[in-house]
């Protein structure tokens, strides 16, 4: 991917992956308002979240509700903000609509399923490895094996397709997803951050590159079929396009849903920093349901008395 | 366009153009409910609206409010439903957003401007021929000449672009429109029906063909830039995709806005059926502000005592 020049500013190795974390505020930048040392917080970070101490601009930091654990908080921001913005900011999910989501057992998939359940009469079609079906069957309406012909499976149940397709697979799935849309339906291409992190951390650029292989779309065809195609990258929105203020409003809504017990992050398992390779292998083997958390307290010789991912140092400068 | 095979089921000549009309119900199909002979109605028609008597399925027929004239009603459905669905169903217009619309003096352009004014703090950028600016300057926030470099003009006022681009120009304007979008912004390609009717009625297929020349869009670019591209064709939605039920709900909302004096169709001028050539020339010369109406009462020898476009015969069969 990097070799092919398909992304801007590719990260240079060595690098510390990770885009979100939770922990305790250890230090504040000059003039930072709204936080104090000792606050329990979760945060977005532009790389380097897989660390014991993290520094990030204050606009990317959010207080953790009292009854949310650090591991839940480390699993919350990326998945739920991504799911919420795709469903409600890009696609305008409303009562009675239908949604197709791939990797329904993953972090974003589970967040999508939970957020869909907050709207009356929403049908969720999901794909996932068959061995996950028992664990997640209550969260989606119709589950298909990830290797099944999901286009045919969906059409068998809903002949005129679905209103929203959320696609993290890309490649030939873009054409399939567009073909499944009802008139006025929305196809959204996004990326699974866990997948990208896995590729980067293992230098599996050829795998990541496959994601980038996708046919271009003719706007006239969209016009003729009354369809919408969108791309969504939370990382670009946060770190390249300066939309932190917008995300703040979304986080407020999501924390309100959490406090009302409408949504709850799904934590698959906790891992020591030294176990990152095994944790990544679990993702690669599609063994996880929900989010894997790197827990710095599980490290045998912590450099500082860290709580979960990090102590966060908040600065108001970017 | 037809020669190049770029549209499905191209109309065969001779044909009667026209997709909307108003008039009095003259006859009802078997089992038609909700209408009576003599009702004042407006309707969508799949071609053949430029006639004294029209037949259309009952799902495309709507009663005219008491204080709406027949000429207003003939100018209402296509422009306002198109504008409403693009702004609120596809693009999710909300408070504080900004919209760019081309042909701001045309029927859809004026409907867009009026609907934007129903949402607080919406900025409307419009392009139109300079000689129309005086007449429409109060309806949009910023007006540019149609030959100006509107990308630069918009960026001079709003450096980060706009939230919604409504483009009926297509061709190279698709790329320009996409470049003007803010992150999470929506570009919508639609067609001006008046323009298409003009092309068909004058067999100017080479002009229509230019509209169809547009670069394909890379979904990865949408992903990287957080952008949305959509196409909207009300005719296909109505007559190919069977979404008459959805349009009924939109018409209810629009008639409510009309009754509350929030919106009002802009009628440019009335013409006899025999004057259709001159009327089309006025559109081609961009002389109109709002909709041109063919008024069958202006015909020198009407075959029936027709009121404006037609007497409508409603059938519940398609």
């Amino acid at each position: 991917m990097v070799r092919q020049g398909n992304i801007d500013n590719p990260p240079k190795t060595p690098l510390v992956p990770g885009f979100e974390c939770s922990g305790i505020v250890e230090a504040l930048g000059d003039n930072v308002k709204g936080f104090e040392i000792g606050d329990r917080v979760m945060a977005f970070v532009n790389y380097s979240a897989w660390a014991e101490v993290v520094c990030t601009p204050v606009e990317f930091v959010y207080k953790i509700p009292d009854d949310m654990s650090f591991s839940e908080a480390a699993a919350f921001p990326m998945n739920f903000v991504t799911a919420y913005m795709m469903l409600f900011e890009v696609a305008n999910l409303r009562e009675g609509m239908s949604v197709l989501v791939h990797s329904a057992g993953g972090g974003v998939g589970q967040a999508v399923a939970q957020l869909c359940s907050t709207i009356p009469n929403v049908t969720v079609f999901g794909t996932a490895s068959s061995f996950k079906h028992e664990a997640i069957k209550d969260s989606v309406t119709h589950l298909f094996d990830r290797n099944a012909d999901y286009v045919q499976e969906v059409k068998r149940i809903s002949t005129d397709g679905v209103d929203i397709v959320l696609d993290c697979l890309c490649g030939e799935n873009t054409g399939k997803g567009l073909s499944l849309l009802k008139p006025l339906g929305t196809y959204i291409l996004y990326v699974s951050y866990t997948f990208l992190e896995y590729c980067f951390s293992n230098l599996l650029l050829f795998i990541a590159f496959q994601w980038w292989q996708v046919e271009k779309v003719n706007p006239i065809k969209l016009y003729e079929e009354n369809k919408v195609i969108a791309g969504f990258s939370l990382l670009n929105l946060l770190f390249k396009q300066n939309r932190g203020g917008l995300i703040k409003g979304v986080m407020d809504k999501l924390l309100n849903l959490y406090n009302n017990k409408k949504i709850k992050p799904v934590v698959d398992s906790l891992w020591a920093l030294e176990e990152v390779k095994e944790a990544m292998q679990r993702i690669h083997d599609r063994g996880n349901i929900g989010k894997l958390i790197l827990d710095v307290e599980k490290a045998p010789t912590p450099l500082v008395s860290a709580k979960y991912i990090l102590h966060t140092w908040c600065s108001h400068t970017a």
Side-chain angles (χ1 to χ4, degrees), chain A:
Chain A
M1 196 168 60
V2 174
R3 180 169 42 80
Q4 298 280 341
N6 277 315
I7 60 170
D8 293 335
N9 305 314
K12 291 181 179 60
T13 54
L15 63 86
V16 178
F19 301 112
E20 65 187 331
C21 58
S22 64
I24 294 168
V25 176
E26 198 170 67
L28 296 170
D30 291 342
N31 301 319
V32 166
K33 300 276 189 292
F35 291 93
E36 292 183 6
I37 290 171
D39 278 350
R40 300 169 75 243
V41 294
M42 52 191 159
F44 292 111
V45 195
N46 194 7
Y47 289 99
S48 301
W50 296 4
E52 292 161 320
V53 179
V54 165
C55 173
T56 197
V58 69
E59 65 173 328
F60 300 142
V61 183
Y62 317 92
K63 287 185 184 169
I64 301 176
D66 289 342
D67 56 353
M68 183 186 278
S69 69
F70 280 110
S71 55
E72 277 188 329
F76 192 82
M78 196 69 77
N79 288 341
F80 274 100
V81 171
T82 297
Y84 186 96
M85 294 201 71
M86 290 195 299
L87 291 173
F88 298 107
E89 299 282 331
V90 180
N92 202 5
L93 176 68
R94 282 164 295 179
E95 185 170 350
M97 284 187 169
S98 53
V99 179
L100 167 66
V101 61
H102 297 295
S103 301
V108 173
Q110 286 292 291
V112 164
Q114 290 186 25
L115 287 170
C116 284
S117 75
T118 66
I119 305 295
N121 196 26
V122 170
T123 302
V124 181
F125 297 89
T127 69
S129 303
S130 285
F131 64 88
K132 295 187 183 180
H133 285 202
E134 182 59 28
I136 64 173
K137 68 181 187 327
D138 293 337
S139 63
V140 301
T141 323
H142 304 286
L143 254 182
F144 313 125
D145 183 75
R146 61 179 287 271
N147 295 316
D149 181 347
Y150 63 84
V151 173
Q152 290 308 311
E153 294 285 340
V154 170
K155 285 193 169 169
R156 193 171 49 78
I157 298 166
S158 174
T159 51
D160 59 347
V162 295
D163 293 295
I164 299 171
V165 172
L166 305 177
D167 179 22
C168 58
L169 305 176
C170 202
E172 64 179 13
N173 293 282
T174 299
K176 290 182 181 177
L178 280 170
S179 77
L180 267 179
L181 287 183
K182 291 181 186 179
L184 300 180
T186 303
Y187 165 94
I188 307 178
L189 177 66
Y190 72 104
V191 69
S192 159
Y193 305 106
T194 312
F195 169 72
L196 263 198
E197 285 172 353
Y198 172 78
C199 292
F200 284 136
S201 62
N202 289 274
L203 296 177
L204 294 177
L205 300 184
F206 64 96
I207 292 182
F209 180 63
Q210 289 176 347
W211 192 89
W212 253 251
Q213 299 306 298
V214 57
E215 269 195 33
K216 291 183 176 179
V217 173
N218 188 341
I220 302 295
K221 192 170 163 65
L222 299 177
Y223 159 77
E224 288 175 342
E225 298 183 353
N226 277 305
K227 290 181 176 176
V228 183
I229 177 168
F232 183 74
S233 164
L234 180 56
L235 295 182
N236 286 355
L237 202 64
L238 284 167
F239 303 124
K240 286 187 182 171
Q241 296 158 359
N242 303 313
R243 288 302 188 275
L246 179 65
I247 307 299
K248 178 79 174 63
V250 170
M251 276 295 279
D252 288 345
K253 291 174 189 165
L254 286 168
L255 289 174
N256 190 44
L257 287 170
Y258 176 86
N259 289 330
N260 287 307
K261 303 197 188 307
K262 303 285 189 189
I263 60 174
K264 186 175 173 66
V266 178
V267 174
D268 177 76
S269 48
L270 304 184
W271 303 77
L273 276 182
E274 288 81 353
E275 297 167 326
V276 67
K277 188 178 168 189
E278 291 76 12
M280 288 291 99
Q281 190 62 47
R282 180 170 169 81
I283 294 171
H284 185 62
D285 295 341
R286 302 176 187 277
N288 63 304
I289 293 173
K291 195 90 170 181
L292 285 80
I293 305 294
L294 293 176
D295 177 354
V296 296
E297 283 205 328
K298 291 192 75 176
T301 52
L303 293 176
V304 294
S305 170
K307 188 76 178 171
Y308 292 93
I309 302 294
L310 77 163
H311 288 200
T312 301
W313 182 67
C314 304
S315 159
H316 73 300
T317 55

